[in-house]
Amino acid sequence: LVVMLIGFLAAQYAAGGTIAPGTVMVSTGEGKVTMFDQNGNNLGQLDTTTGGNGDTAGSTFDAAGNFFVTVFSRQQVTKFDPTGALIGAFGSGYNSDPESIVVDASGNVYVGQADGSHMLLKFDANGNLLATFSPARDVRGTDWIDLDSDQCTLFYTSEGGLVKRFDVCTNTQLTDLNSVPLPGLHAYAQ
């Protein structure tokens, strides 16, 4: 009954209008993203259709309200329109484990990869590859990324103890944000 109710809510939500600002999007694995309102009410799920082993990870919205989610184990980024309707795979050329994603003010999409080449990929709003970057690694790759308001400084973690920085405008490695490693074994999402 709960599964049927979630499916009904997801279908009704997607057909009923845009994903409301403030909706909490939670990557819940198996190719799915669960949506909650600010009070914790379940609004249903978005399904990437990548199957039971599709580990959803990082996600973001663009200025038009399109929603993007990385599907770590399927080497894919999936795009949904502002109503939550599945558009499909976004971009290509993912080498291994796309995990994080951020959109800049111009609508370009950056995708960080945890493994493989560890490269940071930059796409235009249509999913065309514009650039690849090779930021310095720590333990893994460009694991979790975020873009500064200057639209050039990319903060990222590489599962070590440092928050690293890379300038995507000049293709230049910058000094680490912190000079002393963070406590614990790994730094993940920021």
Side-chain angles (χ1 to χ4, degrees):
L1 180 61
V2 171
V3 171
M4 288 174 41
L5 178 61
I6 289 173
F8 173 75
L9 287 172
Q12 197 168 6
Y13 190 82
T18 60
I19 298 171
T23 300
V24 178
M25 310 297 282
V26 181
S27 292
T28 49
E30 298 184 356
K32 299 204 171 63
V33 176
T34 304
M35 302 177 293
F36 296 92
D37 68 15
Q38 293 289 307
N39 296 315
N41 297 308
N42 188 322
L43 300 173
Q45 288 187 315
L46 300 180
D47 189 347
T48 66
T49 68
T50 56
N53 204 19
D55 298 323
T56 50
S59 62
T60 193
F61 286 92
D62 67 12
N66 295 301
F67 178 71
F68 302 82
V69 63
T70 62
V71 188
F72 188 83
S73 56
R74 297 287 190 205
Q75 314 317 318
Q76 180 176 313
V77 172
T78 301
K79 182 178 180 180
F80 295 86
D81 77 9
T83 70
L86 176 66
I87 293 174
F90 175 84
S92 64
Y94 305 107
N95 177 269
S96 186
D97 304 334
E99 187 165 27
S100 53
I101 186 167
V102 66
V103 178
D104 70 16
S106 298
N108 298 310
V109 178
Y110 293 86
V111 178
Q113 300 182 102
D115 298 308
S117 69
H118 306 104
M119 295 188 95
L120 173 71
L121 306 176
K122 178 182 180 181
F123 299 93
D124 68 15
N126 297 314
N128 299 306
L129 185 64
L130 298 176
T132 58
F133 304 98
S134 297
R137 294 180 16 203
D138 199 340
V139 176
R140 284 183 97 173
T142 50
D143 208 33
W144 288 100
I145 61 175
D146 199 6
L147 192 61
D148 193 7
S149 61
D150 69 8
Q151 300 297 289
C152 290
T153 305
L154 185 93
F155 296 92
Y156 67 101
T157 56
S158 186
E159 292 195 22
L162 302 170
V163 176
K164 304 187 90 46
R165 297 185 302 170
F166 185 84
D167 189 319
V168 296
C169 296
T170 63
N171 194 12
T172 306
Q173 188 69 42
L174 303 172
T175 59
D176 295 331
L177 178 69
N178 53 313
S179 59
V180 176
L182 296 165
L185 297 176
H186 305 285
Y188 294 108
Q190 41 177 311

